Amino acid sequence: MQAFIQNRNIPKADIKDKEEHYLVISGTGNVKFISKRFLQGQHTFEEGRSIAVGLSPKNQIIFKQKIQESIDSQDIVYFEFSISQSGKPTKYDVKITPFFIGEVFVNASFVAQNNDQELLEKRFKDIYLHSHDGIIWIDPFDKKIIYSNPSFSKITGYDEKECLNSIFKKFLPLKKQQLVKSIFERLKKEKHLVFEVSIKTIDNIQVPVEITASIVSTDDDAPFIVCFIKDLTALIKAKEALKNNEQRYEAILDNSKIKLCQFDVDLNLTWVGSGIQRQLSSFLSETHIGKKISTIVSNDVGKDIVSFQKEVLDNKSTSHASFKIQYDQEWKAVEVFLSPILENKKVKGLNAVILNISNQNKIEEKLDHFVYRAAHDLRGPLTTIQGIIQLMKSSPKSSKELLPHLEHTIWTQDMHLQKILAYYYNQQTDIKIGKVNWEGIMSVIDDFLNHSGYNIKLSILNDMKNEDYFSDATRIDLLFKNICTTLLQLVTRDIEIKLLIEIKKEKSGVMVVFTDNISPRDYSASNNGFDKSMSINFINDDYTRGLFITSEIIEKLKGKYQVKFSKNKKQQLEIFLPSI
């Protein structure tokens, strides 16, 4: 027994736990002694005065009654007592002990109740009860639910009694049960997992949820699994609505992409909304008043829109549909929203909102083409590398001669990869505004070109050395690299390239001009994106050389561009970048 006592792990008591708070009070109710640091000085008792000083009438009566009860019974008396401290009541457990030294006294010791712990427990309980997310506890061995909160019942439709002691797979669709079983197996090792699954309700409806599962264990309790279950129904609907309406919201911000109009019951156009807008097209103008949409859009799609209008009139309900009208260069595809005009429950016509979604289709086509060309451009250098490796294997002596070709091909492959990474960075990363160091950017570009293996002479005229300019330096660096690599793709490595980059100060930004000697001098015979009108499609439409990425970066930097020709017909790409 002695050995057992000696080997026990006795925790070290906190000094504050040993500190006693007590009063010595006479039988007549006067305070004779107050212990050191009694209640940290937050009290109204004074030695030599009645205990009633500073107490409320109610507390005076309680304290005096308990003192008298202890003296009369000659026994210890316990009771709760509240004292106002720092503006709020604090509860104490008070122990009254009588003793006699010439006369009767009592010792009143005070021990503070752990109110903070009670408050924490109450708040913790309230979180579980009032949480918007479902919360359940699961036995890790038999997978039965041992606790569920009201929100879980709201999600599933089962009340708390039906949930308790039910195996969790009861709430899972049959196809998801094996998946969740494997997740619980992983939970044994990882202790915490977040996953999405469907919960089956009492009406056999599947509700999409996100489950955050954790294993909880303590020294004095068996382990259990805590699951926080978030209903994703509203979130999924919101994401779908946002995705479907993204182009519509964009159109509302630009009146050139939206038409508001009305049709009568015979489907003749009766009104077209007007406002401050760019007149880029004659589609649905004032001249079309009194005409059917099938006359305005003179193809089979016009007839389809009329059929759609008739369907809305017959059903007396709001609806929308998409059509490829191919009206002109500006209005190629539209989304039509129709709502019946009702007066005294009779249909008098149709309200129509017509959105121009042509640009969205164009961007999707460009992106598809870009992805295709990127795959093609990556395949070329890879095939060349494979061929060089085979030659090196078959003729080891010629390896030294083939090494420069291998290095050049690897650089080309890396160039294509950098373009794809540049596109991803531009699309996924927010604008980061800071002071642009033009000399630093040009130094990077110079080093980049020197390692390309091309015969290129770079000249730089920089008027911004001592000027402050703020924009996204990383995107400007990517912009310069994409333009340079596009030029390199026009020639082989044995042709001399002369490239002049001018950085000029403008009133609200900078003008960057690229002039080279290798772009076609006769633009009418070129095939690299120029058109005969000199309204150049150089950047927008030439996906094959990575210029799609360049145009996207310029747009992110809120810039503008144009392509000109010098007097000797050398191509000049001018890019204006505003200070952001």
Side-chain angles (χ1 to χ4, degrees), residues 110-167:
F110 290 69
V111 178
Q113 294 183 354
N114 193 351
N115 298 319
D116 290 341
Q117 184 64 26
E118 288 181 2
L119 182 60
L120 287 173
E121 290 175 358
K122 182 180 181 301
R123 289 176 177 174
F124 188 76
K125 185 177 180 180
D126 287 344
I127 289 171
Y128 267 57
L129 291 176
H130 301 295
S131 171
H132 182 71
D133 298 335
I135 303 174
I136 58 174
W137 297 355
I138 301 174
D139 188 305
F141 304 105
D142 58 15
K143 302 302 184 293
K144 288 184 178 180
I145 294 175
I146 55 180
Y147 170 83
S148 67
N149 73 338
S151 290
F152 182 74
S153 296
K154 187 176 179 180
I155 293 172
T156 62
Y158 293 93
D159 62 33
E160 185 179 357
K161 290 182 180 179
E162 292 173 314
C163 295
L164 292 180
N165 295 318
S166 295
I167 298 176

Side-chain angles (χ1 to χ4, degrees), residues 316 341-348:
K316 297 181 181 180
I341 303 170
L342 298 174
E343 290 182 13
N344 298 322
K345 298 183 179 181
K346 289 185 178 180
V347 178
K348 296 294 184 179

Side-chain angles (χ1 to χ4, degrees), residues 363-381:
I363 290 173
E364 290 173 353
E365 290 170 2
K366 282 186 178 183
L367 187 56
D368 288 343
H369 199 151
F370 168 72
V371 173
Y372 169 77
R373 290 303 309 179
H376 181 272
D377 289 342
L378 288 172
R379 179 62 184 167

Side-chain angles (χ1 to χ4, degrees), residues 313-327:
L313 284 176
D314 293 338
N315 295 333
K316 297 181 181 180
S317 61
T318 301
S319 187
H320 75 278
S322 301
F323 301 92
K324 289 187 177 182
I325 59 173
Q326 301 297 333
Y327 183 81

Side-chain angles (χ1 to χ4, degrees), residues 483-541:
I483 293 171
C484 291
T485 53
T486 298
L487 293 172
L488 298 182
Q489 285 180 269
L490 293 173
V491 297
T492 55
R493 281 183 166 83
D494 59 332
I495 294 178
E496 183 184 49
I497 305 169
K498 294 180 180 179
L499 175 61
L500 170 63
I501 301 177
E502 299 170 85
I503 305 169
K504 305 175 182 178
K505 181 182 178 182
E506 293 285 320
K507 185 177 180 180
S508 56
V510 296
M511 179 69 73
V512 181
V513 183
F514 291 80
T515 306
D516 68 88
N517 67 322
I518 59 171
S519 297
R521 300 189 179 202
D522 181 5
Y523 56 84
S524 63
S526 73
N527 64 350
N528 71 337
F530 305 126
D531 64 24
K532 295 182 181 181
S533 68
M534 290 183 66
S535 174
I536 309 303
N537 293 325
F538 179 72
I539 293 184
N540 270 338
D541 296 328

Side-chain angles (χ1 to χ4, degrees), residues 131-135 151-152 154-157 195-199 201 205-212 228-237:
S131 171
H132 182 71
D133 298 335
I135 303 174
S151 290
F152 182 74
K154 187 176 179 180
I155 293 172
T156 62
F195 58 97
E196 292 185 6
V197 74
S198 295
I199 289 287
T201 70
I205 297 172
Q206 294 190 24
V207 178
V209 297
E210 178 188 82
I211 298 180
T212 302
F228 290 81
I229 302 171
K230 182 185 293 293
D231 187 343
L232 298 179
T233 305
L235 180 62
I236 291 173
K237 286 183 179 179

Side-chain angles (χ1 to χ4, degrees), residues 10-149:
I10 301 173
K12 293 181 180 180
D14 190 14
I15 294 173
K16 291 184 179 179
D17 295 338
K18 292 182 178 180
E19 190 171 274
E20 294 183 356
H21 301 270
Y22 63 92
L23 303 173
V24 175
I25 305 168
S26 68
T28 58
N30 289 328
V31 178
K32 295 296 184 181
F33 180 80
I34 300 175
S35 65
K36 190 176 181 180
R37 290 190 295 273
F38 179 75
L39 305 186
Q40 288 75 47
Q42 296 186 50
H43 62 88
T44 59
F45 301 113
E46 292 181 30
E47 291 182 358
R49 301 191 67 181
S50 171
I51 60 166
V53 175
L55 297 181
S56 66
K58 181 182 177 181
N59 279 345
Q60 291 178 25
I61 294 170
I62 292 174
F63 213 128
K64 287 183 177 180
Q65 283 180 344
K66 295 300 179 182
I67 290 174
Q68 194 59 47
E69 181 182 335
S70 176
I71 293 172
D72 291 342
S73 64
Q74 297 185 22
D75 203 354
I76 297 172
V77 173
Y78 298 90
F79 66 100
E80 283 187 0
F81 192 75
S82 294
I83 297 177
S84 180
Q85 293 179 321
S86 301
K88 62 179 182 179
T90 304
K91 287 185 178 181
Y92 287 87
D93 292 322
V94 182
K95 176 184 176 184
I96 303 291
T97 306
F99 63 95
F100 183 86
I101 305 177
E103 63 179 285
V104 175
F105 296 91
V106 295
N107 180 300
S109 61
F110 290 69
V111 178
Q113 294 183 354
N114 193 351
N115 298 319
D116 290 341
Q117 184 64 26
E118 288 181 2
L119 182 60
L120 287 173
E121 290 175 358
K122 182 180 181 301
R123 289 176 177 174
F124 188 76
K125 185 177 180 180
D126 287 344
I127 289 171
Y128 267 57
L129 291 176
H130 301 295
S131 171
H132 182 71
D133 298 335
I135 303 174
I136 58 174
W137 297 355
I138 301 174
D139 188 305
F141 304 105
D142 58 15
K143 302 302 184 293
K144 288 184 178 180
I145 294 175
I146 55 180
Y147 170 83
S148 67
N149 73 338

